Amino acid sequence: MGDKSTGLGHFLRTRRDRLRPADLGREAGAGRRVPGLRREELAQRAGLSPDYLVRLEQGRDIHPSPAVLGALAAALDLDADERDHLYALAGAARRGRADCRRRRPRQQVRPGTQRLLAAVHGSPALILGRWLEVLDQNPAAVALYGDLRGGNLLRFLFLDDASRDLFPHWEQVAERTVGFLRATTVADDADRGTCELAGELLLGSGTFARLWAGHHVHHRMFGSTRFAHPQLGALTLDHEILALPDPDQWLLVHTAAPDSTAHTDLMAHLMLRPEALRI
């Protein structure tokens, strides 16, 4: 995943490239070689020296003060999610990151969490790990997604063509998922397993590589998702993502209003598949 400072530097560069001189009331001028602001233009806007900004972007200074971070956030027109991400990246860079030689223990689902999952009856629910591994899912989620237990939501999205059939707005779901991953793993020490997964996705999917390089962040823990289910057809479900007590575990639950067509169709599908109702 790179050295301990590339995350902060890369994020600053991508946000600088996103800004256009015209957005700031400047003339682009002839012969401009960069898509966004030049370093000296951003430095001037943030009240920093160009040399200091170079050091930040190249990872040669990983101790920016809160005042410097605030000035950069304002100069880059960051939204609330991006501002939080900037501060988290700076904190992670200060602490330093491990290299890819250490492997974390395999995540386990506690019996209490499994009982909670079983209690979410009739609404598709999945327990996700730190890198969106599918640690467990209930029968309704199996009916909706297929059996992903022991797999990974990212691998399903980017390496399995079935995901593009399931999500009619696949690009939107993909960008949102990568953004959620960026936001939730910013302070994670990179162990061997996470490095291997990221490397596999970067090599196996040009779309993942593009979205990952774009450094999008997505903190929103709720929303809606459209499905094109092979048996149910078009289906729109709300989703909530809840942080579980165990570190780096999430409960993803899809819901629909009890009197909605989506809820009726999903329950009817479960009734037609009694094997899916076995816990």
Side-chain angles (χ1 to χ4, degrees), residues 121-163:
H121 186 72
S123 292
L126 305 90
I127 298 175
L128 303 174
R130 67 176 62 93
W131 275 70
L132 306 187
E133 307 97 321
V134 181
L135 302 177
D136 205 351
Q137 60 185 140
N138 68 0
V142 174
L144 183 64
Y145 282 92
D147 195 343
L148 300 181
R149 286 170 291 189
N152 184 287
L153 199 58
L154 288 166
R155 285 195 179 98
F156 174 66
L157 272 174
F158 291 99
L159 304 180
D160 189 336
D161 290 339
S163 70

Side-chain angles (χ1 to χ4, degrees), residues 94-224:
R94 268 193 294 274
R95 290 190 298 273
R97 292 177 182 240
D99 60 24
C100 291
R101 290 175 292 184
R102 185 175 65 85
R103 185 184 292 275
R104 285 190 175 194
R106 183 182 178 88
Q107 286 186 294
Q108 302 292 329
V109 179
R110 290 184 300 106
T113 304
Q114 289 178 322
R115 290 194 294 272
L116 173 64
L117 179 69
V120 185
H121 186 72
S123 292
L126 305 90
I127 298 175
L128 303 174
R130 67 176 62 93
W131 275 70
L132 306 187
E133 307 97 321
V134 181
L135 302 177
D136 205 351
Q137 60 185 140
N138 68 0
V142 174
L144 183 64
Y145 282 92
D147 195 343
L148 300 181
R149 286 170 291 189
N152 184 287
L153 199 58
L154 288 166
R155 285 195 179 98
F156 174 66
L157 272 174
F158 291 99
L159 304 180
D160 189 336
D161 290 339
S163 70
R164 292 180 180 268
D165 296 329
L166 184 62
F167 299 111
H169 298 294
W170 181 91
E171 182 82 20
Q172 182 184 80
V173 174
E175 181 173 329
R176 184 176 68 200
T177 306
V178 172
F180 180 78
L181 181 72
R182 274 285 191 192
T184 57
T185 61
V186 62
D188 184 42
D189 291 334
D191 68 352
R192 189 167 60 191
T194 57
C195 290
E196 289 171 355
L197 174 63
E200 177 186 355
L201 293 170
L202 287 168
L203 290 174
S205 171
T207 304
F208 177 83
R210 172 175 57 81
L211 292 174
W212 190 252
H215 233 294
H216 302 291
V217 289
H218 183 84
H219 284 273
R220 194 175 181 188
M221 310 291 277
F222 61 91
S224 63

